[in-house]
Amino acid sequence: MIKFFRHIRQTIIMENSKSTRYFKYAIGEIILVVIGILIALQINTWNQARLERISEQNILKDLKVEFEANFIDLNRVLNQHQLILKELRALQVISKSKDYTNIHLDSLTNSLIKWFSFTDRPGASNNLISAGNLDIIQNTELRDLITQWTGNVNDVIDDEVFLADFTRETILPFLSKHYPITNLEESNIKLLESLDMKIDREASLVFDKKMVNWQVLLENEQLQSYVALKKMYEYHCVLECRITMRACKKIISLIKSELHD
């Protein structure tokens, strides 16, 4: 009887030992599987991050092209606004000094009907924002500036549209009644030539310059008000262009700092 119970006890011990080894083996396999999954996930994360960085570099290159083009056009428009502002002030100075024989009066009068507009080059920035992929840009300051860019552009365009409407709807009708507009053709051609534009035969001069009573025109209080208003509107355009150019310059600088080549 004692031998029988001893046999049973040894059998149980052996089976427990086998169960323990099996349990340890199962736990080991589970751990290996988990480690494998974690390694696979980490590799996938690294690969995804690598692909995102490649994508970010390509996007940054497109953004660089876009904002460098924007900067060039902003600079063009700013220079023109500053020139018109300078010409309008010169017209006021001549009017105040009563220098009615000044040879520049016609060309300065041409500044009253000129306007220029900034042309935004939307591309990579718009695509990023509309697709909700802006987070691919790691630099948070750059992301913020790109997000704000549309607002900057709208501020510039709003002032320019207001100025263009004022010029077209108020100044032009006044000048057409009080000044021979044909006199402005020569100044307009010179302006286009300064912008390296070819002048077709159809745009060449036909009429000779007509005499203008500059004293009557320049002492007209309504004209003086229009000149002052346009001068103020031009200055607002100058300020908005400067603000937007600073933002654009900062964006370009940040893009270059993020590019690897």
Side-chain angles (χ1 to χ4, degrees):
M1 182 66 72
I2 293 174
K3 289 182 179 181
F4 176 73
F5 284 114
R6 187 182 297 163
H7 177 72
I8 292 174
R9 184 171 63 84
Q10 289 176 348
T11 302
I12 291 172
I13 291 172
M14 290 177 63
E15 287 180 354
N16 286 339
S17 177
K18 289 179 181 179
S19 297
T20 301
R21 287 198 300 270
Y22 178 77
F23 180 74
K24 290 180 179 179
Y25 175 78
I27 292 296
E29 280 200 339
I30 292 172
I31 291 172
L32 288 175
V33 169
V34 170
I35 291 173
I37 291 172
L38 291 175
I39 291 173
L41 288 173
Q42 187 62 50
I43 291 173
N44 183 63
T45 301
W46 287 338
N47 189 52
Q48 185 66 30
R50 181 182 64 84
L51 293 175
E52 285 185 357
R53 297 292 67 80
I54 292 173
S55 179
E56 180 189 24
Q57 288 296 302
N58 291 331
I59 289 170
L60 287 171
K61 290 175 184 177
D62 291 340
L63 287 171
K64 181 173 177 288
V65 172
E66 175 184 338
F67 282 96
E68 284 179 341
N70 282 330
F71 188 84
I72 290 172
D73 200 55
L74 276 168
N75 189 56
R76 171 190 68 83
V77 173
L78 175 62
N79 288 337
Q80 293 300 331
H81 284 311
Q82 289 175 324
L83 177 60
I84 294 173
L85 188 62
K86 181 181 178 181
E87 291 172 340
L88 291 171
R89 189 179 187 284
L91 193 60
Q92 287 180 320
V93 170
I94 291 173
S95 179
K96 183 178 180 180
S97 66
K98 302 185 185 300
D99 181 15
Y100 301 127
T101 60
N102 193 296
I103 61 173
H104 300 296
L105 278 170
D106 279 308
S107 61
L108 292 174
T109 302
N110 190 49
S111 65
L112 285 170
I113 66 168
K114 290 191 294 188
W115 69 80
F116 292 86
S117 58
F118 167 57
T119 304
D120 183 28
R121 269 73 170 176
S125 58
N126 271 11
N127 293 337
L128 271 178
I129 295 172
S130 60
N133 293 330
L134 194 58
D135 285 343
I136 200 170
I137 304 296
Q138 291 183 296
N139 190 304
T140 55
E141 185 179 6
L142 178 56
R143 286 205 309 266
D144 291 342
L145 287 172
I146 291 174
T147 302
Q148 298 164 12
W149 176 250
T150 301
N152 290 331
V153 170
N154 288 339
D155 287 341
V156 172
I157 293 176
D158 285 347
D159 279 349
E160 289 179 340
V161 168
F162 188 86
L163 175 60
D165 289 344
F166 173 71
T167 301
R168 184 173 54 251
E169 297 170 4
T170 302
I171 294 180
L172 275 174
F174 175 87
L175 277 184
S176 65
K177 292 179 181 179
H178 299 87
Y179 175 86
I181 299 295
T182 52
N183 283 14
L184 299 182
E185 283 195 85
E186 182 180 357
S187 297
N188 186 61
I189 288 174
K190 288 180 179 178
L191 170 64
L192 295 175
E193 288 175 339
S194 71
L195 299 173
D196 295 326
M197 295 185 181
K198 181 181 178 182
I199 307 302
D200 296 332
R201 181 178 178 276
E202 289 76 10
S204 61
L205 296 176
V206 175
F207 294 102
D208 294 329
K209 274 191 175 182
K210 297 178 181 179
M211 295 295 295
V212 179
N213 189 330
W214 288 108
Q215 181 176 357
V216 172
L217 182 62
L218 294 180
E219 290 182 1
N220 186 299
E221 291 187 4
Q222 191 172 15
L223 177 65
Q224 290 176 358
S225 294
Y226 290 160
V227 173
L229 277 171
K230 177 150 187 174
K231 184 181 168 188
M232 288 187 285
Y233 297 155
E234 282 290 353
Y235 190 55
H236 279 281
C237 289
V238 167
L239 293 177
E240 290 297 344
C241 278
R242 287 174 179 170
I243 292 170
T244 305
M245 281 187 73
R246 285 197 293 270
C248 190
K249 188 175 182 179
K250 182 63 176 178
I251 289 172
I252 293 170
S253 176
L254 289 172
I255 289 172
K256 288 181 178 179
S257 70
E258 295 296 320
L259 282 170
H260 297 329
D261 51 18

